[in-house]
Amino acid sequence: MTDQNDTPPIGLWLIGARGAISTCVAYGLAGIRHGMLEPVGLTTAEPPLSELDLAPFESFVLGGHDVCARDVSRSAGELVKTGILQPDLVAATASEAATYEANLRPGPLDGPDVGLADLDPRSSELGALPPLQQVARMRADWDEFERANGLARTVIAYVASTEAGRDAQPEWDDLGELEASLERGIEQPASLLYAFAALGSGRPFVNFTPNLGASPKALHALAEREGVPHCGNDGKTGETLLKTVLAPMFRARALRVLSWQGYNMLGNRDGEVLRDAAHRQVKVQHKDDALRSILGNGRDLHTQVGIDYVPSLSDWKTAWDFVHFEGFLGARMSLQFTWAGSDSALAAPLILDLARLAEFAQRRGEGGLMAHTACFFKAPLAGGTHDFHRQYAALVEYATSRMARR
Ligand SMILES: NC(=O)c1ccc[n+]([C@@H]2O[C@H](COP(=O)([O-])OP(=O)(O)OC[C@H]3O[C@@H](n4cnc5c(N)ncnc54)[C@H](O)[C@@H]3O)[C@@H](O)[C@H]2O)c1
């Protein structure tokens, strides 16, 4: 591990900075610094990843963009009420929360504000600017953040609300065409503009959401051209994590899965946004793709994923899955599981892991797709297997190879 005194401060810029995940990142990081929390749920805090020369938690300085004006301490208050943040942690880390709040800037509001509340009027104005002006504003915010805090580099982690799905545009396939379309002022989803702004200015980009972000080929080309690491999409934290752990077992035992029915209930803001069919569509697709790819599409496999908004559950996502399968002699059996997890407490440590891995990759001059981070995502950008065990083995292999090269 790096001696923390030798490590220059590193920026972690959260897009969706006042949301539930970002709030848990901010208070969780402050809690680790105060020695009030153990780094539970952090893959990079355990061997073999902890043996890499990763930036220590203490070196990260937080900032971020959001489109709402809700104070972070209010977001924390909501998480205290639901039992996710402890009141003593919030009280002891008030000064870190105030510093974080001071580092937040309005981001551009994109399209219809389904499920969003307390909107900052400056965000609507920013969203109405031509795309390249929005990009310039983002970069100016990051430059100022780095200057003010003496940062060596900044990782951009995208944890904003789920956007409505859009039809693919021809310019997404070619960097030159995308750049030309931005010059002409053609509108693009905010997630794509954030990714473009980050990668084009040499800042690693982590997309934890199902949103477009850096998925288009044009953005991959930009990351390659600039030699900047990036990864995504859509954090694998709950039901899909379990699916991609269990499905390989059925496959390995040659048990024939006939149906896999999943039903999710969640009550937080993300759930409210996902209530809208256009916003839900991409999420459901990612959850279904992982299963089909492990179990095979060739056979007659019935899968279905449902997501419903149940306000009283707040951040406590509950998923119920029913797996109907066939064994030898045609015997039909079933497995059912119920998962009740705090979505944000599961996601926040992964953001810290990914920020550390992205910073490490950039420091070592590794640009382009971070294929080794696939185990963190429902729809890994580099493709490959969805099998969690194999994905985790690839992460361990990456760590081992980087230790050997020290
Ligand atoms: N929690 C999990 O386990 C998990 C897993 C996978 C993916 N995700 C995704 O992570 C994202 C965040 O989840 P959350 O629970 O923190 O949601 P949240 O609704 O609490 O927070 C999202 C924040 O993004 C802000 N926002 C919306 N549009 C923005 C824009 N254009 N620029 C900047 N900020 C913007 C909102 O105002 C809000 O504060 C969602 O897209 C969710 O689907 C979460």
Side-chain angles (χ1 to χ4, degrees):
M1 286 281 292
T2 307
D3 178 346
Q4 67 186 69
N5 297 323
D6 295 345
T7 314
I10 309 292
L12 172 56
W13 189 272
L14 300 162
I15 297 166
R18 301 178 191 282
I21 297 181
S22 295
T23 305
C24 288
V25 169
Y27 284 88
L29 191 59
I32 292 175
R33 274 198 188 118
H34 278 244
M36 295 178 76
L37 291 180
E38 287 178 60
V40 177
L42 278 135
T43 308
T44 55
E46 291 293 322
L49 275 88
S50 59
E51 287 154 31
L52 287 174
D53 179 27
L54 299 174
F57 298 114
E58 294 76 11
S59 61
F60 284 97
V61 179
L62 301 185
H65 282 124
D66 207 304
V67 295
C68 77
R70 184 184 58 249
D71 192 276
V72 169
S73 59
R74 232 183 86 205
S75 301
E78 291 172 4
L79 292 162
V80 167
K81 267 193 215 141
T82 56
I84 288 152
L85 283 179
Q86 297 307 313
D88 58 340
L89 172 68
V90 173
T93 56
S95 83
E96 279 94 337
T99 306
Y100 176 51
E101 181 66 43
N103 285 339
L104 303 191
R105 298 290 176 269
L109 179 65
D110 172 37
D113 51 358
V114 176
L116 301 182
D118 311 315
L119 287 173
D120 184 331
R122 292 172 298 174
S123 287
S124 311
E125 289 163 23
L126 281 170
L129 292 175
L132 283 181
Q133 281 189 39
Q134 296 183 41
V135 166
R137 291 290 293 268
M138 292 166 188
R139 290 180 180 162
D141 289 339
W142 297 332
D143 289 344
E144 185 208 332
F145 174 60
E146 287 169 356
R147 246 191 329 268
N149 293 285
L151 305 175
R153 59 183 65 83
T154 301
V155 175
I156 311 297
Y158 182 86
V159 278
S161 316
T162 310
E163 294 173 330
R166 302 200 190 183
D167 292 336
Q169 301 298 311
E171 67 269 21
W172 293 354
D173 284 341
D174 182 273
L175 181 54
E177 281 183 33
L178 177 66
E179 286 173 329
S181 84
L182 292 172
E183 290 282 354
R184 290 200 305 278
I186 307 290
E187 275 182 35
Q188 297 293 346
S191 63
L192 184 149
L193 295 182
Y194 280 120
F196 184 85
L199 297 173
S201 63
R203 294 171 173 108
F205 186 78
V206 173
N207 182 7
F208 203 73
T209 77
N211 299 350
L212 193 65
S215 337
K217 279 190 200 148
L219 275 293
H220 291 213
L222 179 62
E224 289 290 337
R225 186 181 80 189
E226 303 296 326
V228 191
H230 73 113
C231 58
N233 281 355
D234 206 359
K236 182 154 92 169
T237 54
E239 190 214 17
T240 311
L241 174 64
L242 263 177
K243 278 179 165 172
T244 61
V245 164
L246 291 174
M249 174 198 75
F250 288 102
R251 183 86 197 217
R253 282 280 190 251
L255 293 166
R256 182 176 294 161
V257 176
L258 306 167
S259 309
W260 196 310
Q261 195 78 13
Y263 177 57
N264 297 264
M265 295 180 279
L266 70 164
N268 56 15
R269 278 196 192 84
D270 188 31
E272 202 173 342
V273 171
L274 292 173
R275 205 153 45 141
D276 178 71
H279 291 72
R280 196 168 53 232
Q281 168 207 340
V282 190
K283 195 84 170 179
V284 167
Q285 182 70 39
H286 286 172
K287 282 172 168 281
D288 209 32
D289 285 352
L291 204 53
R292 287 195 169 274
S293 98
I294 297 172
L295 294 173
N297 284 318
R299 286 181 298 99
D300 190 16
L301 167 69
H302 170 88
T303 66
Q304 203 175 332
V305 183
I307 304 181
D308 275 335
Y309 176 57
V310 181
S312 67
L313 284 176
S314 60
D315 201 55
W316 297 95
K317 147 101 77 66
T318 300
W320 172 69
D321 276 45
F322 178 86
V323 188
H324 196 203
F325 63 98
E326 189 178 287
F328 195 49
L329 308 173
R332 291 197 164 187
M333 300 163 256
S334 67
L335 160 77
Q336 296 180 47
F337 67 78
T338 311
W339 169 268
S342 155
D343 247 8
S344 312
L346 288 161
L350 306 191
I351 297 296
L352 293 172
D353 280 336
L354 289 164
R356 297 180 88 195
L357 289 168
E359 191 279 333
F360 174 76
Q362 187 173 46
R363 193 164 14 105
R364 293 179 57 96
E366 296 170 10
L369 281 169
M370 296 167 63
H372 54 284
T373 60
C375 67
F376 292 91
F377 297 107
K378 289 190 195 79
L381 278 180
T385 179
H386 284 277
D387 176 336
F388 180 79
H389 313 278
R390 289 171 59 199
Q391 290 174 328
Y392 181 66
L395 179 63
V396 169
E397 196 185 310
Y398 169 87
T400 313
S401 70
R402 295 319 183 263
M403 278 184 262
R405 278 196 233 152
R406 259 202 296 220

